[in-house]
Amino acid sequence: MTSGPTGRTGPTGPTGPPPGVGARTLDRLTADLADVGRAPGGGYARSAWTPVDHELRAWFVEQAQVRGLDVVVDRAGNLWAWWGDPDAQGPGVVTGSHLDSVPGGGAFDGPLGVVSAFAAVDALRAAGLAPRVPVGVVCFADEEGARFGLACTGSRVLTGALAPDRALPLTDADGTSLADALRSAGRPPLAADPEALARVGAFVELHVEQGRALADHEDRTGVRAPVAVGSGIWPHGRWRVDLHGRADHAGTTPMDRRSDPVLDLADLVVRTRDAAVRAGALATVGKVLVEPGGVNAIASRVRAWVDARAPHEEQVHEVLAALADLAPRRESWTPATSFDADLAARVARVVGVESGLAGAAPVVATGAGHDAGVLAVAGVPVAMLFVRNPTGVSHSPEEHAERDDCVAGVAALTAVLGDLAAGDGT
Ligand SMILES: [Zn+2]
């Protein structure tokens, strides 16, 4: 059994943090963010490097400052708040997530991890922890990639996985490039930052679950687990398919004389779904451009994007093989990412005790990409905590986690950080 630096052995341990410190911070910071970047159609619109994003980043800096944490902005635009000096005493144990959202995104995806990180720091301090290694809170920039189309831009540029030359010319829907967006934000162009990365000895990302693996999970004594530990991230790719036809008049072209690529799109959508079901994969056509896009015009071209993921790469390849005659062009590919198994087992034991389970917390893989996956690929020992999401819905205003589960998430994160920052190394 792994016990925390405070000698704490469970949620009711006599020497643990005063009850409620983490929960109070969770409530207060959640309320701070509740109205920032609300979207007119519901949910949130918090795209990277917009005025709303600047407001969120300023809030992060303020939260760091009121706690006396040292704020560092790395060359890839990510924000770090350090308790202790990672250059003198590091590398440190880092937790955090992101504050940007997809259009119409939920309140939990990203912010729950950042809010819980500050809450865990408050709880550790209230318990009188003197960490042996520095503890950091991070806010990764542009995780969702909603504006410029590339996910995890901040962490990928940081680790060198994404060349700035590839990211900076990308444009948003209004034609503004990432380089211009940074310039208007008063930021220098992005660059890799090996020094910032070297400060991270281990990274723990808490995130709302984006599925239902936990919703019905009970341990052998019937206790329901509010928090799971991640084992890794599924392989994931995005492909573009161009379907060509002949533009013509909707009111004068006989049905048998048309070359309509929207019909081919319908076929693509159905075939993608069928192939995914056969392969046991998840595949989605979620973005489509129809040209010229007139209500009274037969289209000349349709451009569609296929997103495919599965527990194993062969399953993703099976989906794409079923679309081979349409010549899909691969736009991105992320191989399967496995988190450090020893660290996951250690974290699962700590979380299991903290959650009052009879054994370790459940360990689950996820199909959603995360900055944690990018850091894992760069060689950082990484762990993820997932907070139960009763419906599994995410990237939607319906995304939800119960407050009690979020409080359990903070307690689990506090215990894990306490264990790693005071323990026998990571
Ligand atoms: Zn997220």
Side-chain angles (χ1 to χ4, degrees), residues 64-331:
Q65 287 170 343
V66 298
R67 288 168 175 79
L69 307 176
D70 296 325
V71 177
V72 179
V73 189
D74 70 28
R75 290 197 280 272
N78 308 300
L79 295 166
W80 305 79
W82 283 103
W83 173 15
D85 180 351
D87 294 322
Q89 309 146 320
V93 175
V94 178
T95 185
S97 192
H98 60 95
L99 292 173
D100 66 319
S101 80
V102 295
F108 298 85
D109 176 355
L112 182 62
V114 175
V115 164
S116 298
F118 283 123
V121 166
D122 287 355
L124 288 171
R125 286 177 152 178
L129 176 86
R132 280 190 212 160
V133 295
V135 173
V137 177
V138 65
C139 172
F140 283 108
D142 199 2
E143 193 272 351
E144 297 288 4
R147 184 171 174 195
F148 299 103
L150 264 189
C152 299
T153 299
S155 56
R156 282 184 212 259
V157 171
L158 166 74
T159 62
L162 171 64
D165 291 356
R166 212 185 129 211
L168 291 168
L170 294 171
T171 52
D172 66 10
D174 298 329
T176 303
S177 69
L178 173 55
D180 285 340
L182 288 163
R183 206 171 295 127
S184 341
R187 303 276 333 145
L190 307 180
D193 198 335
E195 290 85 5
L197 185 62
R199 296 179 188 127
V200 187
F203 177 53
V204 184
E205 180 168 4
L206 178 145
H207 205 278
V208 68
E209 191 189 7
Q210 294 172 296
R212 294 192 75 254
L214 261 181
D216 307 313
H217 188 282
E218 291 182 354
D219 75 356
R220 62 177 188 273
T221 60
V223 177
R224 303 189 63 189
V227 181
V229 174
S231 59
I233 299 177
W234 289 1
H236 169 208
R238 289 179 186 165
W239 287 262
R240 194 187 86 205
V241 178
D242 289 331
L243 304 166
H244 298 279
R246 192 181 62 245
D248 219 329
H249 197 297
T252 59
T253 315
M255 297 308 284
D256 62 352
R257 302 277 297 277
R258 298 179 176 205
S259 171
D260 184 351
V262 175
L263 279 178
D264 299 325
L265 171 67
D267 181 51
L268 166 69
V269 172
V270 173
R271 282 167 59 188
T272 300
R273 182 189 161 79
D274 289 349
V277 170
R278 273 198 312 275
L282 300 177
T284 307
V285 179
K287 180 175 173 180
V288 169
L289 277 180
V290 178
E291 296 172 5
V295 72
N296 58 353
I298 298 163
S300 58
R301 186 176 75 167
V302 172
R303 184 163 273 189
W305 282 263
V306 177
D307 174 300
R309 319 167 187 221
H312 303 287
E313 292 187 4
E314 304 75 57
Q315 294 164 290
V316 178
H317 295 151
E318 197 181 323
V319 173
L320 267 295
L323 308 174
D325 58 305
L326 300 172
R329 287 170 45 127
R330 194 171 81 184
E331 294 206 326

